[in-house]
mmCIF file of all heavy atoms in Angstrom:
data_model
loop_
_atom_site.group_PDB
_atom_site.id
_atom_site.type_symbol
_atom_site.label_atom_id
_atom_site.label_comp_id
_atom_site.label_asym_id
_atom_site.label_seq_id
_atom_site.Cartn_x
_atom_site.Cartn_y
_atom_site.Cartn_z
ATOM 1 N N MET A 1 -46.797 -31.580 -57.934
ATOM 2 C CA MET A 1 -47.787 -31.757 -56.908
ATOM 3 C C MET A 1 -48.975 -30.830 -57.079
ATOM 4 O O MET A 1 -50.014 -31.081 -56.516
ATOM 5 C CB MET A 1 -47.171 -31.499 -55.542
ATOM 6 C CG MET A 1 -46.482 -32.647 -54.938
ATOM 7 S SD MET A 1 -46.672 -32.291 -53.215
ATOM 8 C CE MET A 1 -46.442 -33.743 -52.414
ATOM 9 N N SER A 2 -48.832 -29.764 -57.809
ATOM 10 C CA SER A 2 -49.927 -28.813 -57.934
ATOM 11 C C SER A 2 -51.116 -29.398 -58.684
ATOM 12 O O SER A 2 -52.216 -28.874 -58.593
ATOM 13 C CB SER A 2 -49.452 -27.537 -58.630
ATOM 14 O OG SER A 2 -49.030 -27.845 -59.942
ATOM 15 N N GLY A 3 -50.919 -30.489 -59.400
ATOM 16 C CA GLY A 3 -52.007 -31.114 -60.126
ATOM 17 C C GLY A 3 -52.803 -32.100 -59.289
ATOM 18 O O GLY A 3 -53.779 -32.659 -59.760
ATOM 19 N N MET A 4 -52.410 -32.302 -58.034
ATOM 20 C CA MET A 4 -53.110 -33.257 -57.179
ATOM 21 C C MET A 4 -54.444 -32.676 -56.706
ATOM 22 O O MET A 4 -54.535 -31.504 -56.376
ATOM 23 C CB MET A 4 -52.253 -33.619 -55.970
ATOM 24 C CG MET A 4 -50.985 -34.361 -56.334
ATOM 25 S SD MET A 4 -49.989 -34.755 -54.895
ATOM 26 C CE MET A 4 -51.039 -35.893 -54.055
ATOM 27 N N VAL A 5 -55.437 -33.526 -56.699
ATOM 28 C CA VAL A 5 -56.757 -33.115 -56.219
ATOM 29 C C VAL A 5 -57.185 -34.110 -55.156
ATOM 30 O O VAL A 5 -57.166 -35.308 -55.372
ATOM 31 C CB VAL A 5 -57.785 -33.100 -57.369
ATOM 32 C CG1 VAL A 5 -59.158 -32.765 -56.852
ATOM 33 C CG2 VAL A 5 -57.356 -32.126 -58.443
ATOM 34 N N GLY A 6 -57.567 -33.598 -53.988
ATOM 35 C CA GLY A 6 -57.999 -34.457 -52.893
ATOM 36 C C GLY A 6 -59.502 -34.583 -52.852
ATOM 37 O O GLY A 6 -60.214 -34.047 -53.707
ATOM 38 N N PRO A 7 -60.001 -35.276 -51.846
ATOM 39 C CA PRO A 7 -61.452 -35.449 -51.721
ATOM 40 C C PRO A 7 -62.133 -34.139 -51.358
ATOM 41 O O PRO A 7 -61.540 -33.261 -50.742
ATOM 42 C CB PRO A 7 -61.591 -36.462 -50.593
ATOM 43 C CG PRO A 7 -60.347 -36.300 -49.786
ATOM 44 C CD PRO A 7 -59.273 -35.925 -50.773
ATOM 45 N N ASN A 8 -63.367 -34.027 -51.742
ATOM 46 C CA ASN A 8 -64.186 -32.873 -51.415
ATOM 47 C C ASN A 8 -64.822 -33.148 -50.053
ATOM 48 O O ASN A 8 -65.776 -33.903 -49.942
ATOM 49 C CB ASN A 8 -65.249 -32.683 -52.490
ATOM 50 C CG ASN A 8 -66.114 -31.481 -52.246
ATOM 51 O OD1 ASN A 8 -65.913 -30.729 -51.302
ATOM 52 N ND2 ASN A 8 -67.107 -31.302 -53.102
ATOM 53 N N ILE A 9 -64.269 -32.531 -48.994
ATOM 54 C CA ILE A 9 -64.747 -32.745 -47.630
ATOM 55 C C ILE A 9 -65.465 -31.483 -47.174
ATOM 56 O O ILE A 9 -64.920 -30.390 -47.270
ATOM 57 C CB ILE A 9 -63.589 -33.074 -46.684
ATOM 58 C CG1 ILE A 9 -62.879 -34.341 -47.158
ATOM 59 C CG2 ILE A 9 -64.094 -33.228 -45.253
ATOM 60 C CD1 ILE A 9 -61.614 -34.647 -46.410
ATOM 61 N N ARG A 10 -66.695 -31.660 -46.690
ATOM 62 C CA ARG A 10 -67.489 -30.503 -46.256
ATOM 63 C C ARG A 10 -68.145 -30.785 -44.911
ATOM 64 O O ARG A 10 -68.461 -31.930 -44.597
ATOM 65 C CB ARG A 10 -68.592 -30.199 -47.272
ATOM 66 C CG ARG A 10 -68.069 -29.786 -48.623
ATOM 67 C CD ARG A 10 -69.191 -29.593 -49.617
ATOM 68 N NE ARG A 10 -69.715 -30.912 -49.990
ATOM 69 C CZ ARG A 10 -70.999 -31.168 -50.188
ATOM 70 N NH1 ARG A 10 -71.905 -30.233 -50.083
ATOM 71 N NH2 ARG A 10 -71.399 -32.380 -50.504
ATOM 72 N N ILE A 11 -68.347 -29.734 -44.144
ATOM 73 C CA ILE A 11 -69.153 -29.783 -42.938
ATOM 74 C C ILE A 11 -70.383 -28.931 -43.218
ATOM 75 O O ILE A 11 -70.265 -27.739 -43.482
ATOM 76 C CB ILE A 11 -68.402 -29.218 -41.714
ATOM 77 C CG1 ILE A 11 -67.090 -29.956 -41.468
ATOM 78 C CG2 ILE A 11 -69.302 -29.252 -40.488
ATOM 79 C CD1 ILE A 11 -67.226 -31.388 -41.048
ATOM 80 N N LYS A 12 -71.546 -29.546 -43.216
ATOM 81 C CA LYS A 12 -72.794 -28.826 -43.465
ATOM 82 C C LYS A 12 -73.460 -28.540 -42.116
ATOM 83 O O LYS A 12 -73.645 -29.455 -41.314
ATOM 84 C CB LYS A 12 -73.716 -29.671 -44.343
ATOM 85 C CG LYS A 12 -75.038 -29.014 -44.648
ATOM 86 C CD LYS A 12 -75.903 -29.923 -45.516
ATOM 87 C CE LYS A 12 -77.259 -29.316 -45.752
ATOM 88 N NZ LYS A 12 -78.131 -30.222 -46.517
ATOM 89 N N VAL A 13 -73.783 -27.276 -41.890
ATOM 90 C CA VAL A 13 -74.417 -26.885 -40.634
ATOM 91 C C VAL A 13 -75.832 -26.407 -40.933
ATOM 92 O O VAL A 13 -76.036 -25.510 -41.745
ATOM 93 C CB VAL A 13 -73.622 -25.761 -39.924
ATOM 94 C CG1 VAL A 13 -74.301 -25.391 -38.613
ATOM 95 C CG2 VAL A 13 -72.184 -26.178 -39.697
ATOM 96 N N THR A 14 -76.801 -27.042 -40.291
ATOM 97 C CA THR A 14 -78.203 -26.637 -40.394
ATOM 98 C C THR A 14 -78.719 -26.434 -38.978
ATOM 99 O O THR A 14 -78.045 -26.772 -38.005
ATOM 100 C CB THR A 14 -79.047 -27.702 -41.122
ATOM 101 O OG1 THR A 14 -78.909 -28.951 -40.437
ATOM 102 C CG2 THR A 14 -78.602 -27.876 -42.564
ATOM 103 N N MET A 15 -79.900 -25.882 -38.867
ATOM 104 C CA MET A 15 -80.491 -25.643 -37.554
ATOM 105 C C MET A 15 -81.654 -26.602 -37.322
ATOM 106 O O MET A 15 -82.459 -26.837 -38.211
ATOM 107 C CB MET A 15 -80.971 -24.199 -37.439
ATOM 108 C CG MET A 15 -79.876 -23.158 -37.532
ATOM 109 S SD MET A 15 -78.634 -23.291 -36.247
ATOM 110 C CE MET A 15 -79.554 -22.713 -34.833
ATOM 111 N N ASP A 16 -81.711 -27.160 -36.127
ATOM 112 C CA ASP A 16 -82.833 -27.985 -35.676
ATOM 113 C C ASP A 16 -83.455 -27.229 -34.510
ATOM 114 O O ASP A 16 -83.031 -27.384 -33.368
ATOM 115 C CB ASP A 16 -82.336 -29.359 -35.250
ATOM 116 C CG ASP A 16 -83.466 -30.280 -34.841
ATOM 117 O OD1 ASP A 16 -84.643 -29.938 -35.081
ATOM 118 O OD2 ASP A 16 -83.180 -31.348 -34.271
ATOM 119 N N GLY A 17 -84.401 -26.368 -34.833
ATOM 120 C CA GLY A 17 -84.940 -25.456 -33.825
ATOM 121 C C GLY A 17 -83.893 -24.398 -33.514
ATOM 122 O O GLY A 17 -83.471 -23.662 -34.392
ATOM 123 N N ASP A 18 -83.410 -24.394 -32.272
ATOM 124 C CA ASP A 18 -82.370 -23.433 -31.911
ATOM 125 C C ASP A 18 -81.009 -24.093 -31.746
ATOM 126 O O ASP A 18 -80.064 -23.471 -31.267
ATOM 127 C CB ASP A 18 -82.753 -22.675 -30.634
ATOM 128 C CG ASP A 18 -82.923 -23.601 -29.440
ATOM 129 O OD1 ASP A 18 -82.976 -24.823 -29.636
ATOM 130 O OD2 ASP A 18 -83.006 -23.094 -28.309
ATOM 131 N N LYS A 19 -80.889 -25.381 -32.136
ATOM 132 C CA LYS A 19 -79.628 -26.108 -32.011
ATOM 133 C C LYS A 19 -79.009 -26.349 -33.389
ATOM 134 O O LYS A 19 -79.695 -26.793 -34.309
ATOM 135 C CB LYS A 19 -79.856 -27.459 -31.339
ATOM 136 C CG LYS A 19 -80.304 -27.364 -29.888
ATOM 137 C CD LYS A 19 -80.546 -28.735 -29.306
ATOM 138 C CE LYS A 19 -79.236 -29.479 -29.256
ATOM 139 N NZ LYS A 19 -79.361 -30.812 -28.669
ATOM 140 N N PRO A 20 -77.704 -26.088 -33.544
ATOM 141 C CA PRO A 20 -77.048 -26.387 -34.823
ATOM 142 C C PRO A 20 -76.809 -27.893 -34.974
ATOM 143 O O PRO A 20 -76.558 -28.603 -33.998
ATOM 144 C CB PRO A 20 -75.729 -25.629 -34.734
ATOM 145 C CG PRO A 20 -75.458 -25.496 -33.286
ATOM 146 C CD PRO A 20 -76.802 -25.429 -32.610
ATOM 147 N N VAL A 21 -76.917 -28.373 -36.203
ATOM 148 C CA VAL A 21 -76.654 -29.775 -36.536
ATOM 149 C C VAL A 21 -75.499 -29.782 -37.538
ATOM 150 O O VAL A 21 -75.566 -29.135 -38.586
ATOM 151 C CB VAL A 21 -77.904 -30.444 -37.152
ATOM 152 C CG1 VAL A 21 -77.594 -31.861 -37.595
ATOM 153 C CG2 VAL A 21 -79.058 -30.421 -36.161
ATOM 154 N N HIS A 22 -74.427 -30.512 -37.220
ATOM 155 C CA HIS A 22 -73.243 -30.582 -38.074
ATOM 156 C C HIS A 22 -73.214 -31.946 -38.750
ATOM 157 O O HIS A 22 -73.287 -32.976 -38.075
ATOM 158 C CB HIS A 22 -71.972 -30.410 -37.237
ATOM 159 C CG HIS A 22 -71.958 -29.168 -36.412
ATOM 160 N ND1 HIS A 22 -72.524 -29.117 -35.155
ATOM 161 C CD2 HIS A 22 -71.481 -27.943 -36.663
ATOM 162 C CE1 HIS A 22 -72.373 -27.904 -34.657
ATOM 163 N NE2 HIS A 22 -71.748 -27.163 -35.553
ATOM 164 N N GLU A 23 -73.121 -31.959 -40.089
ATOM 165 C CA GLU A 23 -73.044 -33.209 -40.854
ATOM 166 C C GLU A 23 -71.737 -33.232 -41.637
ATOM 167 O O GLU A 23 -71.324 -32.217 -42.190
ATOM 168 C CB GLU A 23 -74.199 -33.314 -41.838
ATOM 169 C CG GLU A 23 -75.548 -33.429 -41.188
ATOM 170 C CD GLU A 23 -76.672 -33.460 -42.207
ATOM 171 O OE1 GLU A 23 -76.555 -32.797 -43.251
ATOM 172 O OE2 GLU A 23 -77.659 -34.148 -41.950
ATOM 173 N N LEU A 24 -71.109 -34.395 -41.683
ATOM 174 C CA LEU A 24 -69.871 -34.581 -42.428
ATOM 175 C C LEU A 24 -70.201 -35.155 -43.803
ATOM 176 O O LEU A 24 -70.887 -36.167 -43.906
ATOM 177 C CB LEU A 24 -68.933 -35.530 -41.681
ATOM 178 C CG LEU A 24 -67.632 -35.891 -42.370
ATOM 179 C CD1 LEU A 24 -66.757 -34.646 -42.544
ATOM 180 C CD2 LEU A 24 -66.888 -36.961 -41.594
ATOM 181 N N TRP A 25 -69.724 -34.490 -44.851
ATOM 182 C CA TRP A 25 -69.930 -34.929 -46.232
ATOM 183 C C TRP A 25 -68.569 -35.146 -46.893
ATOM 184 O O TRP A 25 -67.676 -34.318 -46.769
ATOM 185 C CB TRP A 25 -70.684 -33.875 -47.031
ATOM 186 C CG TRP A 25 -72.120 -33.730 -46.645
ATOM 187 C CD1 TRP A 25 -72.622 -33.114 -45.545
ATOM 188 C CD2 TRP A 25 -73.245 -34.218 -47.370
ATOM 189 N NE1 TRP A 25 -73.989 -33.184 -45.536
ATOM 190 C CE2 TRP A 25 -74.393 -33.846 -46.648
ATOM 191 C CE3 TRP A 25 -73.385 -34.912 -48.562
ATOM 192 C CZ2 TRP A 25 -75.671 -34.172 -47.081
ATOM 193 C CZ3 TRP A 25 -74.664 -35.223 -48.989
ATOM 194 C CH2 TRP A 25 -75.786 -34.866 -48.257
ATOM 195 N N ILE A 26 -68.404 -36.258 -47.572
ATOM 196 C CA ILE A 26 -67.231 -36.500 -48.415
ATOM 197 C C ILE A 26 -67.769 -36.779 -49.804
ATOM 198 O O ILE A 26 -68.463 -37.771 -50.019
ATOM 199 C CB ILE A 26 -66.365 -37.656 -47.905
ATOM 200 C CG1 ILE A 26 -65.831 -37.304 -46.516
ATOM 201 C CG2 ILE A 26 -65.233 -37.938 -48.879
ATOM 202 C CD1 ILE A 26 -64.940 -38.330 -45.903
ATOM 203 N N GLY A 27 -67.459 -35.869 -50.725
ATOM 204 C CA GLY A 27 -68.066 -35.938 -52.054
ATOM 205 C C GLY A 27 -69.562 -35.734 -51.919
ATOM 206 O O GLY A 27 -70.015 -34.802 -51.276
ATOM 207 N N ASN A 28 -70.340 -36.642 -52.486
ATOM 208 C CA ASN A 28 -71.802 -36.563 -52.400
ATOM 209 C C ASN A 28 -72.371 -37.500 -51.339
ATOM 210 O O ASN A 28 -73.573 -37.727 -51.293
ATOM 211 C CB ASN A 28 -72.435 -36.885 -53.753
ATOM 212 C CG ASN A 28 -72.149 -35.809 -54.770
ATOM 213 O OD1 ASN A 28 -72.035 -34.642 -54.423
ATOM 214 N ND2 ASN A 28 -72.027 -36.200 -56.022
ATOM 215 N N GLU A 29 -71.482 -38.066 -50.493
ATOM 216 C CA GLU A 29 -71.922 -39.046 -49.498
ATOM 217 C C GLU A 29 -71.993 -38.406 -48.114
ATOM 218 O O GLU A 29 -71.020 -37.834 -47.622
ATOM 219 C CB GLU A 29 -70.946 -40.218 -49.463
ATOM 220 C CG GLU A 29 -71.369 -41.325 -48.558
ATOM 221 C CD GLU A 29 -70.432 -42.523 -48.623
ATOM 222 O OE1 GLU A 29 -69.546 -42.546 -49.481
ATOM 223 O OE2 GLU A 29 -70.606 -43.419 -47.799
ATOM 224 N N ASN A 30 -73.146 -38.505 -47.487
ATOM 225 C CA ASN A 30 -73.343 -37.988 -46.140
ATOM 226 C C ASN A 30 -72.902 -39.062 -45.146
ATOM 227 O O ASN A 30 -73.465 -40.149 -45.112
ATOM 228 C CB ASN A 30 -74.812 -37.638 -45.916
ATOM 229 C CG ASN A 30 -75.077 -37.057 -44.550
ATOM 230 O OD1 ASN A 30 -74.206 -37.008 -43.697
ATOM 231 N ND2 ASN A 30 -76.290 -36.610 -44.346
ATOM 232 N N LEU A 31 -71.888 -38.752 -44.344
ATOM 233 C CA LEU A 31 -71.396 -39.714 -43.361
ATOM 234 C C LEU A 31 -72.043 -39.534 -41.996
ATOM 235 O O LEU A 31 -71.660 -40.190 -41.039
ATOM 236 C CB LEU A 31 -69.868 -39.621 -43.252
ATOM 237 C CG LEU A 31 -69.128 -39.947 -44.547
ATOM 238 C CD1 LEU A 31 -67.628 -39.832 -44.359
ATOM 239 C CD2 LEU A 31 -69.477 -41.333 -45.045
ATOM 240 N N GLY A 32 -73.004 -38.637 -41.897
ATOM 241 C CA GLY A 32 -73.783 -38.499 -40.675
ATOM 242 C C GLY A 32 -73.415 -37.294 -39.840
ATOM 243 O O GLY A 32 -72.582 -36.477 -40.204
ATOM 244 N N ARG A 33 -74.075 -37.225 -38.699
ATOM 245 C CA ARG A 33 -73.884 -36.097 -37.785
ATOM 246 C C ARG A 33 -72.583 -36.255 -37.012
ATOM 247 O O ARG A 33 -72.202 -37.365 -36.635
ATOM 248 C CB ARG A 33 -75.038 -36.011 -36.805
ATOM 249 C CG ARG A 33 -76.333 -35.617 -37.447
ATOM 250 C CD ARG A 33 -77.416 -35.498 -36.411
ATOM 251 N NE ARG A 33 -78.637 -34.971 -37.035
ATOM 252 C CZ ARG A 33 -79.680 -34.563 -36.356
ATOM 253 N NH1 ARG A 33 -79.676 -34.616 -35.047
ATOM 254 N NH2 ARG A 33 -80.735 -34.104 -36.991
ATOM 255 N N VAL A 34 -71.931 -35.140 -36.775
ATOM 256 C CA VAL A 34 -70.724 -35.113 -35.954
ATOM 257 C C VAL A 34 -70.867 -33.955 -34.971
ATOM 258 O O VAL A 34 -71.587 -32.995 -35.223
ATOM 259 C CB VAL A 34 -69.440 -34.944 -36.798
ATOM 260 C CG1 VAL A 34 -69.198 -36.158 -37.668
ATOM 261 C CG2 VAL A 34 -69.492 -33.693 -37.655
ATOM 262 N N SER A 35 -70.152 -34.042 -33.869
ATOM 263 C CA SER A 35 -70.210 -32.974 -32.874
ATOM 264 C C SER A 35 -69.234 -31.866 -33.251
ATOM 265 O O SER A 35 -68.268 -32.079 -33.982
ATOM 266 C CB SER A 35 -69.867 -33.512 -31.487
ATOM 267 O OG SER A 35 -68.494 -33.844 -31.421
ATOM 268 N N PHE A 36 -69.477 -30.680 -32.721
ATOM 269 C CA PHE A 36 -68.576 -29.557 -32.962
ATOM 270 C C PHE A 36 -67.191 -29.875 -32.411
ATOM 271 O O PHE A 36 -66.186 -29.554 -33.034
ATOM 272 C CB PHE A 36 -69.137 -28.280 -32.325
ATOM 273 C CG PHE A 36 -68.274 -27.083 -32.557
ATOM 274 C CD1 PHE A 36 -68.234 -26.481 -33.804
ATOM 275 C CD2 PHE A 36 -67.501 -26.564 -31.539
ATOM 276 C CE1 PHE A 36 -67.431 -25.382 -34.035
ATOM 277 C CE2 PHE A 36 -66.697 -25.467 -31.763
ATOM 278 C CZ PHE A 36 -66.659 -24.870 -33.009
ATOM 279 N N LEU A 37 -67.125 -30.545 -31.257
ATOM 280 C CA LEU A 37 -65.839 -30.922 -30.680
ATOM 281 C C LEU A 37 -65.074 -31.856 -31.614
ATOM 282 O O LEU A 37 -63.864 -31.742 -31.773
ATOM 283 C CB LEU A 37 -66.042 -31.580 -29.317
ATOM 284 C CG LEU A 37 -64.785 -31.996 -28.574
ATOM 285 C CD1 LEU A 37 -63.869 -30.796 -28.335
ATOM 286 C CD2 LEU A 37 -65.146 -32.659 -27.258
ATOM 287 N N TRP A 38 -65.767 -32.782 -32.273
ATOM 288 C CA TRP A 38 -65.115 -33.689 -33.223
ATOM 289 C C TRP A 38 -64.494 -32.895 -34.367
ATOM 290 O O TRP A 38 -63.387 -33.190 -34.802
ATOM 291 C CB TRP A 38 -66.130 -34.696 -33.773
ATOM 292 C CG TRP A 38 -65.518 -35.689 -34.699
ATOM 293 C CD1 TRP A 38 -64.985 -36.890 -34.371
ATOM 294 C CD2 TRP A 38 -65.334 -35.545 -36.119
ATOM 295 N NE1 TRP A 38 -64.493 -37.508 -35.493
ATOM 296 C CE2 TRP A 38 -64.694 -36.709 -36.578
ATOM 297 C CE3 TRP A 38 -65.651 -34.548 -37.027
ATOM 298 C CZ2 TRP A 38 -64.367 -36.894 -37.910
ATOM 299 C CZ3 TRP A 38 -65.319 -34.734 -38.361
ATOM 300 C CH2 TRP A 38 -64.695 -35.899 -38.792
ATOM 301 N N ILE A 39 -65.222 -31.886 -34.864
ATOM 302 C CA ILE A 39 -64.715 -31.056 -35.963
ATOM 303 C C ILE A 39 -63.445 -30.339 -35.533
ATOM 304 O O ILE A 39 -62.437 -30.347 -36.251
ATOM 305 C CB ILE A 39 -65.788 -30.040 -36.413
ATOM 306 C CG1 ILE A 39 -66.995 -30.763 -36.997
ATOM 307 C CG2 ILE A 39 -65.209 -29.052 -37.419
ATOM 308 C CD1 ILE A 39 -68.204 -29.872 -37.185
ATOM 309 N N VAL A 40 -63.452 -29.745 -34.350
ATOM 310 C CA VAL A 40 -62.278 -29.024 -33.843
ATOM 311 C C VAL A 40 -61.092 -29.974 -33.692
ATOM 312 O O VAL A 40 -59.969 -29.658 -34.104
ATOM 313 C CB VAL A 40 -62.602 -28.326 -32.507
ATOM 314 C CG1 VAL A 40 -61.354 -27.760 -31.861
ATOM 315 C CG2 VAL A 40 -63.637 -27.234 -32.721
ATOM 316 N N GLU A 41 -61.316 -31.157 -33.118
ATOM 317 C CA GLU A 41 -60.234 -32.125 -32.937
ATOM 318 C C GLU A 41 -59.679 -32.601 -34.280
ATOM 319 O O GLU A 41 -58.465 -32.760 -34.436
ATOM 320 C CB GLU A 41 -60.710 -33.309 -32.115
ATOM 321 C CG GLU A 41 -60.945 -32.961 -30.664
ATOM 322 C CD GLU A 41 -61.501 -34.122 -29.856
ATOM 323 O OE1 GLU A 41 -61.797 -35.193 -30.436
ATOM 324 O OE2 GLU A 41 -61.644 -33.946 -28.643
ATOM 325 N N ALA A 42 -60.542 -32.826 -35.263
ATOM 326 C CA ALA A 42 -60.086 -33.265 -36.586
ATOM 327 C C ALA A 42 -59.232 -32.189 -37.254
ATOM 328 O O ALA A 42 -58.201 -32.491 -37.861
ATOM 329 C CB ALA A 42 -61.287 -33.622 -37.467
ATOM 330 N N ILE A 43 -59.642 -30.931 -37.139
ATOM 331 C CA ILE A 43 -58.861 -29.829 -37.715
ATOM 332 C C ILE A 43 -57.513 -29.719 -37.019
ATOM 333 O O ILE A 43 -56.480 -29.520 -37.674
ATOM 334 C CB ILE A 43 -59.654 -28.510 -37.639
ATOM 335 C CG1 ILE A 43 -60.850 -28.570 -38.582
ATOM 336 C CG2 ILE A 43 -58.766 -27.313 -37.966
ATOM 337 C CD1 ILE A 43 -61.834 -27.430 -38.415
ATOM 338 N N MET A 44 -57.484 -29.871 -35.701
ATOM 339 C CA MET A 44 -56.224 -29.793 -34.961
ATOM 340 C C MET A 44 -55.274 -30.925 -35.362
ATOM 341 O O MET A 44 -54.082 -30.707 -35.530
ATOM 342 C CB MET A 44 -56.496 -29.816 -33.458
ATOM 343 C CG MET A 44 -57.127 -28.539 -32.952
ATOM 344 S SD MET A 44 -57.616 -28.568 -31.219
ATOM 345 C CE MET A 44 -56.110 -29.003 -30.408
ATOM 346 N N GLN A 45 -55.798 -32.125 -35.544
ATOM 347 C CA GLN A 45 -54.960 -33.250 -35.969
ATOM 348 C C GLN A 45 -54.426 -33.031 -37.377
ATOM 349 O O GLN A 45 -53.258 -33.323 -37.657
ATOM 350 C CB GLN A 45 -55.734 -34.554 -35.894
ATOM 351 C CG GLN A 45 -55.951 -35.029 -34.483
ATOM 352 C CD GLN A 45 -56.651 -36.365 -34.431
ATOM 353 O OE1 GLN A 45 -56.807 -37.062 -35.434
ATOM 354 N NE2 GLN A 45 -57.104 -36.736 -33.244
ATOM 355 N N LEU A 46 -55.271 -32.525 -38.263
ATOM 356 C CA LEU A 46 -54.830 -32.241 -39.627
ATOM 357 C C LEU A 46 -53.727 -31.187 -39.616
ATOM 358 O O LEU A 46 -52.690 -31.367 -40.254
ATOM 359 C CB LEU A 46 -55.993 -31.770 -40.483
ATOM 360 C CG LEU A 46 -55.622 -31.307 -41.892
ATOM 361 C CD1 LEU A 46 -55.056 -32.445 -42.706
ATOM 362 C CD2 LEU A 46 -56.813 -30.689 -42.582
ATOM 363 N N ALA A 47 -53.926 -30.111 -38.881
ATOM 364 C CA ALA A 47 -52.941 -29.038 -38.829
ATOM 365 C C ALA A 47 -51.611 -29.514 -38.269
ATOM 366 O O ALA A 47 -50.542 -29.127 -38.742
ATOM 367 C CB ALA A 47 -53.470 -27.871 -38.021
ATOM 368 N N SER A 48 -51.663 -30.388 -37.254
ATOM 369 C CA SER A 48 -50.417 -30.856 -36.655
ATOM 370 C C SER A 48 -49.685 -31.855 -37.555
ATOM 371 O O SER A 48 -48.489 -32.049 -37.404
ATOM 372 C CB SER A 48 -50.690 -31.502 -35.291
ATOM 373 O OG SER A 48 -51.392 -32.709 -35.441
ATOM 374 N N SER A 49 -50.386 -32.455 -38.510
ATOM 375 C CA SER A 49 -49.746 -33.429 -39.393
ATOM 376 C C SER A 49 -49.161 -32.797 -40.651
ATOM 377 O O SER A 49 -48.437 -33.464 -41.384
ATOM 378 C CB SER A 49 -50.739 -34.529 -39.789
ATOM 379 O OG SER A 49 -51.734 -33.998 -40.646
ATOM 380 N N LEU A 50 -49.465 -31.523 -40.906
ATOM 381 C CA LEU A 50 -48.948 -30.864 -42.103
ATOM 382 C C LEU A 50 -47.458 -30.573 -41.957
ATOM 383 O O LEU A 50 -46.985 -30.157 -40.899
ATOM 384 C CB LEU A 50 -49.693 -29.543 -42.359
ATOM 385 C CG LEU A 50 -51.171 -29.686 -42.690
ATOM 386 C CD1 LEU A 50 -51.787 -28.283 -42.819
ATOM 387 C CD2 LEU A 50 -51.375 -30.454 -43.970
ATOM 388 N N ARG A 51 -46.722 -30.799 -43.010
ATOM 389 C CA ARG A 51 -45.286 -30.505 -43.038
ATOM 390 C C ARG A 51 -45.036 -29.565 -44.195
ATOM 391 O O ARG A 51 -45.445 -29.823 -45.327
ATOM 392 C CB ARG A 51 -44.471 -31.778 -43.231
ATOM 393 C CG ARG A 51 -44.708 -32.836 -42.194
ATOM 394 C CD ARG A 51 -44.061 -32.458 -40.869
ATOM 395 N NE ARG A 51 -44.234 -33.509 -39.893
ATOM 396 C CZ ARG A 51 -45.016 -33.414 -38.835
ATOM 397 N NH1 ARG A 51 -45.709 -32.330 -38.617
ATOM 398 N NH2 ARG A 51 -45.110 -34.393 -37.979
ATOM 399 N N PHE A 52 -44.360 -28.489 -43.914
ATOM 400 C CA PHE A 52 -44.052 -27.499 -44.947
ATOM 401 C C PHE A 52 -42.585 -27.609 -45.321
ATOM 402 O O PHE A 52 -41.732 -27.772 -44.475
ATOM 403 C CB PHE A 52 -44.377 -26.085 -44.455
ATOM 404 C CG PHE A 52 -45.829 -25.887 -44.160
ATOM 405 C CD1 PHE A 52 -46.317 -25.990 -42.866
ATOM 406 C CD2 PHE A 52 -46.732 -25.647 -45.185
ATOM 407 C CE1 PHE A 52 -47.661 -25.820 -42.596
ATOM 408 C CE2 PHE A 52 -48.073 -25.474 -44.924
ATOM 409 C CZ PHE A 52 -48.531 -25.565 -43.625
ATOM 410 N N ARG A 53 -42.290 -27.467 -46.598
ATOM 411 C CA ARG A 53 -40.904 -27.517 -47.079
ATOM 412 C C ARG A 53 -40.531 -26.185 -47.648
ATOM 413 O O ARG A 53 -41.214 -25.478 -48.212
ATOM 414 C CB ARG A 53 -40.775 -28.575 -48.157
ATOM 415 C CG ARG A 53 -40.941 -29.942 -47.593
ATOM 416 C CD ARG A 53 -40.690 -30.951 -48.676
ATOM 417 N NE ARG A 53 -40.757 -32.265 -48.063
ATOM 418 C CZ ARG A 53 -40.435 -33.352 -48.685
ATOM 419 N NH1 ARG A 53 -40.028 -33.319 -49.920
ATOM 420 N NH2 ARG A 53 -40.505 -34.511 -48.081
#
C-alpha cells in the first residue's frame, strides 16, 4: 500500500480586500470557491472515515 498515490487536493486561500477566499483545487483543476465551514465539514468526514489497523 505504500506505493499508492492519491489525488493532489489543495485549498488555496487568497484575500479579496479584507475577506479570505477559499478555492478547492484537485490536481491542476480549480473546482471553485468553497466556504470555510465546508472545508471543516469535509475534514471531519474524512477523519471519521479513516480506519487504522
Side-chain angles (χ1 to χ4, degrees):
M1 275 208 160
S2 63
M4 295 179 66
V5 176
N8 182 3
I9 300 172
R10 296 176 287 142
I11 303 293
K12 180 181 176 184
V13 181
T14 56
M15 297 299 288
D16 183 11
D18 61 348
K19 294 178 65 178
V21 176
H22 305 86
E23 294 177 326
L24 176 64
W25 289 76
I26 298 181
N28 291 328
E29 185 176 352
N30 182 353
L31 298 180
R33 292 182 174 191
V34 293
S35 70
F36 181 74
L37 182 58
W38 183 90
I39 295 168
V40 171
E41 289 177 355
I43 291 170
M44 289 174 56
Q45 287 183 11
L46 174 64
S48 69
S49 69
L50 295 176
R51 303 286 183 250
F52 297 98
R53 291 185 176 188

